Amino acid sequence: MNFKPIKTKFDAALAKVKVWLEPENLEQLRPKLGYQTAILAGFALAAAILLGVADLATRGVIQLRLEEDLKAKLEEVIPPEMHDNDLLFDTVTLPSADANLGAAETIVYLAKKQGDVNAVCFKFVAPDGYAGAISLVMGIDKNGEILGVRVISHTETPGLGDKIEISKSKWILSFNGKSLDNVSFEQWAVKKDNGIFDQFSGATITPRKVVIAIRRGLEFYKANQATLIATGEKS
Amino acid sequence: MSEYLLLILGTALVNNVVLVKFLGLCPFMGVSNKLDTALGMGMATTFVLTLASAASWVLEHRLLIPFDIGFLRVLGFILVIAAVVQFTEMVIHKTSPVLYQVLGIFLPLITTNCAVLGVALLNIQEQYNFIQSLLFGFGAALGFTLVMVLFAGLRERLALMSVPALFTGTPIAFITAGILSLAFMGFAGLPIK
Amino acid sequence: MYVFSAIIILTLLGLALGLSLGIAAKYLKVESDPLVERVEALMPGSQCGQCGFPGCRPAAEAVVLGAAPVTLCPPGGSALVEQLAKLLGVDVDLSQTKDAEPMVARVSEDTCTGCTRCFKVCPTDAIVGAPKQIHAVVADACIGCEKCVAVCPTECLQMHPIDVTLHDWRWHKPQLAAA
Amino acid sequence: MNLSILFSPEYKRIARDGLWDNNVVLTQNLALCPLLAVTGTATNGLGMGLATIAVMVASNGIVSLNRHLIPSEIRIPIFVLLIAALVTLVDICLNAWMHELHKVLGLFIPLIVTNCAILGRVESFASKQEPLPSLWDGFMMGVGFTLVMVILGAMREISSTGTLFANASVLLGESFRFMELTVISDYKGFLLTALPPGGFIMLGFLVAMKRLFDQKAEKKS
Amino acid sequence: MFAFLENPKFRGGIHAEEHKAETCDKPIATNLPLPKKLYIPVQQHVGKPAEPIVKVGEHVLKGQLLAYSQGTISAPVHSPSSGVILDVQDFPAPHPSALPIRTIIIETDGEEKWFKYAIPEKPFELEPEEICLRVGGAGVVGLSGAVFPSAVKLNLGRKNQIHTLLINAGECEPYLTCDDLLMQERASCCVGGIRLMLRGMNAPKAIIGIEDNKPNAFKAMQAASAEFEQISVVQVPTRYPMGWDRQMLRYLTGKEIPADGRATDVGVIIHNVATAYAVYQAVCLSKPLISRVVTVSGGAVSKPQNVEVPIGTLMSEVLAFCDVENEKLARLIMGGPMMGEVLPHADVPIVKASSGILALSHDDIFEPEVKQCIRCSSCVTACPVGLLPLEMASRIKANKLDAAVDLGLKDCISCGSCSYVCPSNIPLVHYFKFASGELFSRQQREHKAEQTKRLAENRTNRMERIKAEADADARRVMEARAARQAAEAQAKVLEENA
Amino acid sequence: MNAKPISSPHISSARRVDEIMRKVIFALLPALGFGIVIFGWSALFLTFVTVSSAIVFEAICLKLKGGAIESYLLDGSAILTGLLVAMTLPPYAPWWIGVVGSGLAIILGKHVYGGLGQNLFNPAMLARVALLISFPIEMTTWVNVSPFFTGLDILESFKITFSGAEISDAITGATTLGFVKTGFSQAQLLPDLLSDYSGFLAFIGWERGSLGETSTLLILLGGIWLMRQGVIQWFIPVSLLASVTFLSTLFNLIDSTHYLSAWVHLNSGALMLVAFFIATDYVTSPNTPLGQLIFGTGCGVLIFVIRSWGGYPEGTGFAVLLMNSVTPLIDHYIRPRIYGRTRDGKPIEGG
Ligand SMILES: Cc1cc2nc3c(=O)[nH]c(=O)nc-3n(C[C@H](O)[C@H](O)[C@H](O)COP(=O)(O)O)c2cc1C
Ligand SMILES: Cc1cc2nc3c(=O)[nH]c(=O)nc-3n(C[C@H](O)[C@H](O)[C@H](O)COP(=O)(O)O)c2cc1C
Ligand SMILES: Cc1cc2nc3c(=O)[nH]c(=O)nc-3n(C[C@H](O)[C@H](O)[C@H](O)COP(=O)(O)O)c2cc1C
Ligand SMILES: Cc1cc2nc3c(=O)[nH]c(=O)nc-3n(C[C@H](O)[C@H](O)[C@H](O)CO)c2cc1C
Ligand code: SF4
Ligand code: SF4
Ligand code: SF4
Ligand code: SF4
Ligand code: FES
């Protein structure tokens, strides 16, 4: 193939562009309406292409990372030996508008061992912490006993309310093993309110709300226990 | 009705954009030397912020979500906001040269006034409907204007006080802003949100 | 595919906004800055050049552009500074600006040769006198620009502070409180 | 590239401006929102600062290259468009490939778009200067900003919790665990400085401190 | 809605220690020895200075005209005694700066020979115009210190058809008792003066306002005016500055004078009681204003009393007459302690405005250290005008004079109440005086700048014209030369042809 | 004589800054003394620490500033600020709370602004609010009343104030406002919550609370004495108390199970102290009568709003700081009518 004509053509075009790009030429062009419109659109086009490509390249990866994150959270409250399935892909979505968990529908992740539901786990919210909503994730074994609770995010005051984080205090572990059966309804409260859970000195509200939210979570599980366990047996 | 009023009040006082959310601080510091200017800036921002809230809601719900291109959100919003601001700038330049001179470089900077983008993004995050978005934007701007005006009043008085040389101007203004924000913490916990 | 729709939408958005802004720019164009005129009107108008600009108009332009501080004009004194600061909305520490003591030129009659050079440079015609005769300065018209002093070949022109009389006497500013 | 130009007077001037004389925060009073919002800890400040440097350098460079193309009437939309695109790019890339870092900074990255300082530099420097000085200016301004971020972050972190660079290992990787210090052990914690009011007040004192240095330097010379 | 917050009759003001007891029950001393020399400034009034008509060396009689008034607002001065004109030269004025003012110096001959003026037979039946003419010719000016030519005021009152003449006998300044004594001793003359004023202005009634700390003066005036039903005497509360004319007007009539207006806008003219006395002297006895009653008091004076002093007497002589103790003297003041002016030394003449000479001791002028304003707003409460002294002062301190004007600086009457109450001892009035002076200078400068602009423009125009003319000349020369050359060339050609 | 003349007036009233401050301190003493009597040694130690550190900080700041130290140090304002800080602290607060509080008040609240009269915010309230936010535990530990030093002995008290000894739960409890707020968050209602409440004891000051703010009676007496001395005017206290009374009565009538009565409000917390001694601070309140009425009413409304609906049981500190920030605006817009002019500065119509 003969590239020469193409090359000369290209060179010519390049030369033209060069001339066009001369500051003097641009000087004249800049005040023109059409030029302005085109330039803005041009930059928008370039940006869109750039981001489009970047998005294409990263969408999958990001999805993967988010799943990894979630999985890591779930693994914290459901010991690995309790299941042999992939928690992320064994889910049931239940209506939870009445359970006061902070969402109209709650995704329940099922931990199955050999197809039987061994434990469940779900995210929920204590909507009325001291400084705002507190999101939690909780694992419950099939009998309704707590396997673990973790705080995902909160906006409580550093130094006071943030002792609900596992990295700040072991307080959140005190729920392990508790259920609606081994702790009475009245006892689901902080000590100050005649319950069995510790409060933090100077900050009662945060733990109080967390305790009550966890109780609601357990009640939600209890209400749906049958359905959930049944999903396992069916499969 | 009262729900909307509470939304505006809550946004303006309890979650004040400047003092609590830390948005729009540059104009807050930059254009608050004089009461009149602060008021002007507040009104310009109110106009832009309300308009931008509405525009970004439309953009989000009519383009970004239907076409599943959420990654363009920031880009799209900022583009729309920039256009609104530029437009406002031109109008002010034409109609009131003095105001233009006074607001100076800050009008273009409204574009980058974090408050505008921040409020637009918060709007989406809070999943407000159109009316709520509009009111949220308005309330935020109201809060912005309120603290601007209070702060300008304080600074006008400061200008007459014998503040030690080390602290005159910016340092004492920051400290005063800090105390103002301390005072606004008193609104925390009010059930208006 | 969503990426294409993204590209198209953003481009269209850019097009639309660019167009509307461009049109707006055409129609809302501001021809000249009336501010310069207003600033110039405030200036003393003696075109004396003490500000370093070749006259009041260029000085006004520089002030409006922000290229010169509002304190540029010595003849205008602190009153001008205050007015300019107010007009332009800038903040100046007025307690720092100090008016220079007003001076007027005076001809010492012994040495004046009547060369008329001072007469020619005086911007306000404050110097009277015919060639070869002793000249004199009309103190009320003299603005103290010192141009005449510069051109006088015999150094017969000197600047003197204006005498304080009972009518010109003013209360001094109170000393600041201790600490 | 010949690095020696970095020591030419022009480049020295730019560096000096960015780091000290015309520091975006301490002198220009810009970029205040990210400054106050993320300087609860020194680590956050550092991370935000680094991300900002990247965006600042890139936006300065691109704008300077294209400065003849851009008409002044629509310059602002174009600038913010560019900045927003760059920030979004940084955001997606961090999210995909430096996920841990993104988790810490995630919330703040979109805010870089509206960091006034970036637009400010683009407007006042890059749109008028050659690409190389513009890149250098972006870098130096960014470093100046980061410096203030870290100092303010450290001041607030130490006074509010008694630690320094907590969580540095999460942000920068395990090898940076050595940075995590407990400056005052068993510290009661002065909460005020971690909260918004404390941020403002500390910044006020920081600016006053800079002024003190400047005054001292002036006296010496 | 919040009108209840403001007493409509009286606001602000202070109650200072009066120090009037020292002088108020001693008779006016008329035995001051005649000074050897008298120094009579040609300007002792507001308006244009009077123009001397006497020559150096000339002999003048007591009451003879020395300088005649110039223009509508001015007043003549007369010789306080008989003697020889020594000089007309600059002499220190009774002013804080003691800068010189044009002064006629007379060496007295001790004969006190009066210049003969015709005395009207029925002074109370003179035409109003005639009364005004006589008052003006006698050099009567407002003796409360404002020294506004009284005749001008009388004419003004007549033209505006006022309904009330308010006689200000408040004398609210501490220490001063000259009006008090004048009323106690010469009440009927004062009332005579008031009647003349009423006639001069065609006014139907007069009210005399006297502070209730002068019961004797009140009684005397009541008795003297009992037979004239158009004159009433009213007691007003003692509270500085009750004697401020607008305050007294508000108290007695409930009316306020508009800020940009005069008392005539509400149908009133206000005169001081000593002025009324001077009017009486001028019209009924044809005596020009050549002496006045002066209160000499203060901690450094051993014999505080009121003295009738010829205008032009040096204050040092009056002080010597009252035995001032120089070692005690801390500050010398002309006028009252609230509004009077400090004098750098006593070698200045008594003028028509000198209502008092106060030689204050250190105990009198308690002067603590000046501190920062604590915003106690005592000054706001004390200001009778309704200003915000602390705000005005802080702006003036920062040289923001226009801002101070916006706050009402121009409405300040320098009454001193604010400075008096300030616990931080901030010289508020001093700030206001400084600012007013500065503003006045500015105005003058602006005026000059305008003139400068005009002159500069004229010059530019002239230059252009000259240049244009020069160009035209040059062109003409060129043309002429060209014509000449052409002619020459032609001539040459012709020559050659020839 | 002086080269530069001195302007009139040449006499001045005898009232001086230090005298004013002395009178305010004097008026505070009964309430403070009562606090010390009912809370014992710790209260005394804390007052001492707070006041002396306030003086030390003041001296340091004046020294740094240069110029006259004595005359400003002796003007009494630092002692007064220290006293007010102490009086708003919990009586058993550790010593460092007092020191930090004084430091905040004197340095941040006063001297960075230039010292006496230059500050924009009330130093004592600034310190109080900053402490509350920084050290919520220490700042909300209230102790029972035990008269005439019959509670802890001097050694135990010393340990509590100076070496961080634990305060036994037996002697602590909530203040009325705190108790009620906690009760509401557990859905309890007012009549039950207040079953033990004695209005009379609260009026006397026989209740838990900050060191010097419990006795409504003594503060009221001190305040009235100050008014009669002409140190403070009635505008702020009366409008503040009236607005709180009005609002609380109104809401109490609407719903007496959720809104405290005016009597409880008036006797609780720092309301009285704030009304007479804190909101009246000259420096940070407006300088016209109408402005002061607005200021007082604003404080009252904010106090009621924060107490009734806010996150904190007590709203006085925040209310004062918030109204301090409005003060320049009030002063800007509310000005006295000038003689011969209408309110907006135009000359009045003639006649
Ligand atoms: C600035 C500040 C922040 C607070 N943050 C919290 C918090 O995060 N969580 C909490 O339970 N209480 C918090 N509190 C304390 C509450 O106000 C309330 O006093 C406390 O929960 C009552 O607890 P107690 O009954 O143990 O005193 C905070 C208080 C203050 C002043
Ligand atoms: C603050 C103040 C106090 C005054 N006190 C008196 C006074 O006590 N007696 C008096 O006659 N005039 C006093 N005057 C002057 C009067 O306002 C007014 O000028 C005078 O009564 C006019 O009278 P005349 O023109 O006869 O002097 C005072 C003025 C001011 C501003
Ligand atoms: C300005 C100020 C602010 C206060 N803020 C609070 C507060 O937020 N929370 C609190 O429990 N006590 C606070 N206190 C202490 C209370 O005023 C008071 O001691 C306590 O609420 C007692 O009220 P009671 O005894 O009527 O319940 C504050 C005190 C002052 C002076
Ligand atoms: C009536 C009155 C009330 C005062 N109240 C306070 C107060 O609440 N807080 C304070 O720090 N100082 C107070 N002071 C003292 C003084 O004004 C204070 O130190 C200044 O705020 C510091 O500039 C008061 C003084 C007076 C005369
Ligand atoms: S110094 Fe002032 S008067 Fe002279 S030319 Fe410049 S602006 Fe004009
Ligand atoms: S200084 Fe000389 S040249 Fe200038 S105005 Fe005066 S007389 Fe004229
Ligand atoms: S001197 Fe002026 S400001 Fe002061 S009280 Fe008198 S009128 Fe008011
Ligand atoms: S009286 Fe003095 S201290 Fe009080 S407010 Fe007025 S100026 Fe300030
Ligand atoms: S960074 Fe400047 S406004 Fe937010």
Side-chain angles (χ1 to χ4, degrees), chain F residues 20-21 24 77 80-81 84 110 115-119 122-124 231-232 277-278 280-283:
Chain F
I20 294 175
M21 296 297 166
V24 181
S77 69
L80 178 53
T81 300
L84 282 166
K110 186 171 170 188
L116 184 65
Q118 312 300 300
N119 46 320
N122 190 311
V231 174
I232 58 174
F277 292 92
I278 289 174
T280 49
D281 178 13
Y282 301 147
V283 182

Side-chain angles (χ1 to χ4, degrees), chain A residues 20-21 23 26 30-31 35-37 39-40 43-44 47 50-51 54-55 57-58 61-62 65-66 69 157-160, chain D residues 62 66-74 77-78 81-82 84-85 88-89 92-93 95-97 99-100 103 191 194-195:
Chain A
W20 189 78
L21 277 177
L26 292 174
R30 263 177 295 180
Y35 173 80
Q36 289 178 3
T37 316
I39 281 286
L40 190 59
F43 273 94
L50 187 69
L51 290 186
D55 189 67
T58 55
V61 188
I62 294 174
R65 301 284 174 216
L66 291 178
D69 279 354
T157 318
L160 282 172
Chain D
I62 295 180
N66 293 309
R67 66 188 187 281
H68 295 301
L69 277 176
I70 300 170
S72 72
E73 287 86 352
I74 53 163
I78 290 185
L81 188 82
L82 271 173
T88 313
L89 200 64
I92 332 187
C93 294
N95 199 355
W97 295 301
H99 193 65
E100 289 306 310
K103 271 202 286 194
L191 265 189
L195 296 170

Side-chain angles (χ1 to χ4, degrees), chain B residues 24-27 112-114, chain D residues 31-34 114-116:
Chain B
L25 285 172
C26 304
T112 49
N113 178 340
C114 317
Chain D
L32 299 175
C33 310
T114 54
N115 183 330
C116 306

